Amino acid sequence: MKRIILSAGSFLLILALLLALLSLAFFPKGNSLEDGIQEPELYGFLGERSNSLDVVVLGDSIPLSSMIPPRLWRDFGYTGYVCASTAQKLCQSEGLLNRFLESQQPQFVLLETDQLYLEMSALDVLQCNMEALFPVLRYHNNWKFVRPAQMLRTPDYTCRDPLKGYHLRKTIDALEPEAYMLPTEETEPFSAAAEAGVRRIKAVCDRAGARLVLYTAPNAAAWNTPRHNAVQALADSLEVPYLDGNLEVTNLVWQADTLDQGEHLNLMGAEKVTAWLGTYFSSTGLLEDKRGDPAYASWEEDLAEFERRVDDPDHYY
């Protein structure tokens, strides 16, 4: 039995060493599609100057279309990045946050709460942890299209996304909403795994000296008061702020500000949410207005590119 245990242990050690060596080769050495990165807009923060981003937004597809970093810059002089992706799970958000913190020291980490109600299994958490430990498990297909010279070079992340992770969508698909967010004491619980995920993210923020803020983008299709009550209780237990745009963004017009009948916001809706979040940041007195600082000149260039796309009649979704 002892020999079997030693043999198994030796095999696992050799396998771990092999996966670690392959991970060094397969891990993308740049943040473009050609380098093998997945979702380059998601990883555009790697091309930003170190310690230059004030805010990072985490979540699924809802925050992708609810916060506009170029407009946050234009109106407040704050810098931010949206590290969100469709159906992103909390364990993936935790991994992204850890990656973000390797080069940035944000004052605020905004976690959008729709994510708490996405299904997340123990297998999902295991997969996230294994991919973080051995990136080759995620990037194993890179050998098909990444040249060997690229895979072996020194990492150099130079690609920047002028939209800073935001997905520009101008389509209008109106909603004639019935009353929602009606007062009630009921709660709609999320899973224990979701709560554990938020607590892990809070611990990461605490170690990094960042402030975790839970926020909910206006979402007439999926949000309700019982969900608000459950998230508020979690925020209270964590002693972190909770901002619910369904209650606080009072100038939203569902007939004009949504691209899919209430679930996701279009450009007009996202502008209102960005102004709301910017006002919150301003009220804390923790962020500096960096407009006019030569070190942030690239933000003016990116803002100009963002406005060009806004004005482009062919860029509508």
Side-chain angles (χ1 to χ4, degrees):
M1 177 63 73
K2 185 176 180 181
R3 180 176 296 177
I4 293 174
I5 293 173
L6 287 173
S7 297
S10 298
F11 171 77
L12 291 174
L13 179 60
I14 292 170
L15 178 61
L17 289 172
L18 179 61
L19 289 173
L21 289 172
L22 288 172
S23 293
L24 288 175
F26 278 75
F27 194 79
K29 305 307 188 296
N31 59 327
S32 69
L33 282 174
E34 292 75 17
D35 295 306
I37 203 79
Q38 297 171 8
E39 299 177 286
E41 296 86 359
L42 180 61
Y43 289 93
F45 66 87
L46 293 172
E48 298 290 336
R49 183 168 55 85
S50 296
N51 301 326
S52 65
L53 296 173
D54 299 319
V55 179
V56 58
V57 179
L58 303 171
D60 57 18
S61 63
I62 302 300
L64 274 179
S65 55
S66 72
M67 209 279 268
I68 311 173
R71 289 284 170 83
L72 187 69
W73 168 261
R74 184 194 70 181
D75 297 336
F76 296 91
Y78 306 148
T79 57
Y81 205 94
V82 180
C83 288
S85 56
T86 300
Q88 185 180 119
K89 299 180 186 297
L90 279 161
C91 59
Q92 295 170 312
S93 293
E94 182 183 354
L96 274 167
L97 178 58
N98 282 317
R99 189 81 190 277
F100 190 90
L101 293 172
E102 291 175 6
S103 59
Q104 301 292 336
Q105 294 180 335
Q107 288 283 341
F108 292 98
V109 174
L110 266 65
L111 180 63
E112 211 284 331
T113 58
D114 182 71
Q115 205 178 31
L116 274 67
Y117 290 92
L118 296 182
E119 183 179 350
M120 184 175 67
S121 67
L123 185 60
D124 291 325
V125 176
L126 176 62
Q127 181 179 344
C128 288
N129 290 337
M130 291 300 294
E131 288 181 352
L133 191 60
F134 301 115
V136 67
L137 299 176
R138 180 175 185 185
Y139 298 109
H140 59 277
N141 282 327
N142 279 1
W143 66 271
K144 296 179 181 179
F145 57 90
V146 179
R147 290 176 292 139
Q150 287 177 278
M151 296 176 70
L152 298 175
R153 67 180 173 85
T154 302
D156 184 23
Y157 303 111
T158 56
C159 293
R160 291 170 40 250
D161 176 19
L163 275 62
K164 314 298 182 185
Y166 168 68
H167 282 201
L168 174 59
R169 306 176 185 191
K170 295 185 276 186
T171 302
I172 299 174
D173 189 0
L175 172 71
E176 294 295 339
E178 299 178 1
Y180 82 119
M181 302 304 292
L182 299 174
T184 179
E185 298 298 318
E186 295 179 5
T187 63
E188 183 179 339
F190 37 78
S191 69
E195 178 171 346
V198 176
R199 291 188 179 277
R200 286 195 304 271
I201 289 172
K202 173 64 162 55
V204 172
C205 292
D206 289 345
R207 290 193 295 270
R211 294 161 179 81
L212 176 64
V213 176
L214 304 183
Y215 93 102
T216 305
N219 182 348
W223 207 252
N224 54 46
T225 305
R227 288 190 172 192
H228 169 92
N229 293 340
V231 174
Q232 185 65 67
L234 175 61
D236 292 343
S237 71
L238 292 171
E239 299 182 330
V240 301
Y242 174 40
L243 312 175
D244 191 343
N246 295 281
L247 299 174
E248 299 177 30
V249 183
T250 57
N251 59 341
L252 204 74
V253 179
W254 285 115
Q255 292 85 351
D257 293 338
T258 176
L259 63 89
D260 55 3
Q261 298 187 1
E263 185 173 13
H264 298 86
L265 301 175
N266 58 25
L267 172 64
M268 292 182 292
E271 288 174 332
K272 295 172 181 178
V273 171
T274 302
W276 165 62
L277 291 173
T279 300
Y280 168 75
F281 297 139
S282 180
S283 72
T284 68
L286 295 171
L287 299 184
E288 254 180 59
D289 182 346
K290 300 175 182 66
R291 290 171 294 185
D293 185 337
Y296 293 85
S298 64
W299 279 79
E300 291 296 334
E301 298 170 9
D302 292 337
L303 174 60
E305 172 59 20
F306 172 76
E307 300 295 0
R308 186 194 69 77
R309 297 188 193 186
V310 168
D311 294 335
D312 182 354
D314 295 324
H315 192 136
Y316 63 91
Y317 186 82

